[in-house]
Amino acid sequence: GPLPPDPLAGVPGPVEVEPGWLAGWLAEQEHGGPDQSGAAPASAPPDRLASDVLAGIEPGVFLAAELESVDPRGEDEYHVVEMVAGYQRIAAWAQHRSSALAARLSRRRLLDAGGQGVEVTAQELAPRLGISRFAARRLVEAERLFTDRLEDTGIALARGLIDWAKAGVLVRQLADQPADVAWEVQQLVLPDAPWQTVTQLERAV
């Protein structure tokens, strides 16, 4: 069938950059190239969003377009740190979307015959994603929790405030808890979760 529409079509902000600039820049850094000092390239990119504004953008296609439009050779270290954080937030957002789509797939009539939607979907996803069936099952089941007792965890993941590993901590430890307990624990631990390691979050939970 026809390809789906370009998800970035009409998104404001993207700027054309030379293909492969990131690979070239990383190679220069690794081999001590001319840009090791962080000096701006000969053709500096157009104006971009300030670092604090970049940090506040919700993850999604607009943030991806903004990040892809900026050549880090012309940016200070603080902005490059925010760019790295931005890509990490996009990764968390994408993981949430992936989980949501997997859960939706598990409810399709073809896969959910006999009430085995989660297991059948995990069997289909595991070889395609190169993960274990257990991990695929957790991908499907996580979204069901994110729309129920772990809704705040799902929101934090979708906004890029926590990553998939941290969301997994709450899924593992709260999935079998009563809803009121799960809610209370999330209120206590999620505010600090963005700045904690996975181990620290486990201890907090």
Side-chain angles (χ1 to χ4, degrees):
L3 292 173
D6 183 356
L8 294 182
V11 176
V15 179
E16 291 296 328
V17 294
E18 182 180 352
W21 63 260
L22 181 56
W25 178 67
L26 291 174
E28 289 172 355
Q29 300 302 300
E30 183 177 355
H31 297 96
D35 289 309
Q36 195 169 7
S37 64
S43 56
D47 291 341
R48 46 81 181 140
L49 298 179
S51 301
D52 55 343
V53 176
L54 183 67
I57 298 178
E58 293 278 326
V61 293
F62 178 78
L63 178 58
E66 172 62 25
L67 291 171
E68 288 294 292
S69 74
V70 177
D71 186 336
R73 291 176 293 184
E75 306 301 330
D76 61 36
E77 290 75 10
Y78 179 73
H79 196 77
V80 175
V81 167
E82 286 304 328
M83 290 178 68
V84 173
Y87 280 114
Q88 290 296 315
R89 290 190 290 119
I90 291 173
W93 169 81
Q95 189 70 63
H96 181 270
R97 302 277 286 192
S98 176
S99 179
L101 194 57
R104 184 177 299 178
L105 178 64
S106 72
R107 291 190 286 267
R108 288 200 171 185
R109 188 167 48 186
L110 182 63
L111 280 71
D112 197 24
Q116 297 296 312
V118 172
E119 189 61 35
V120 174
T121 302
Q123 292 175 8
E124 293 293 327
L125 289 176
R128 178 62 183 88
L129 302 180
I131 59 179
S132 68
R133 191 176 301 177
F134 173 81
R137 189 184 306 115
R138 187 171 62 183
L139 183 70
V140 178
E141 293 175 336
E143 179 59 23
R144 297 190 173 197
L145 290 168
F146 294 156
T147 56
D148 185 30
R149 68 188 61 202
L150 297 183
E151 182 179 10
D152 288 342
T153 298
I155 292 173
L157 180 65
R159 292 180 177 174
L161 300 175
I162 60 174
D163 59 21
W164 181 249
K166 293 179 183 179
V169 170
L170 290 131
V171 168
R172 289 193 304 273
Q173 299 200 31
L174 299 180
D176 296 328
Q177 295 293 329
D180 56 341
V181 173
W183 183 89
E184 182 71 21
V185 171
Q186 289 174 95
Q187 310 317 302
L188 293 172
V189 303
L190 281 175
D192 294 326
W195 298 277
Q196 292 178 322
T197 66
V198 170
T199 300
Q200 289 172 332
L201 179 58
E202 287 176 337
R203 292 171 182 166
V205 175

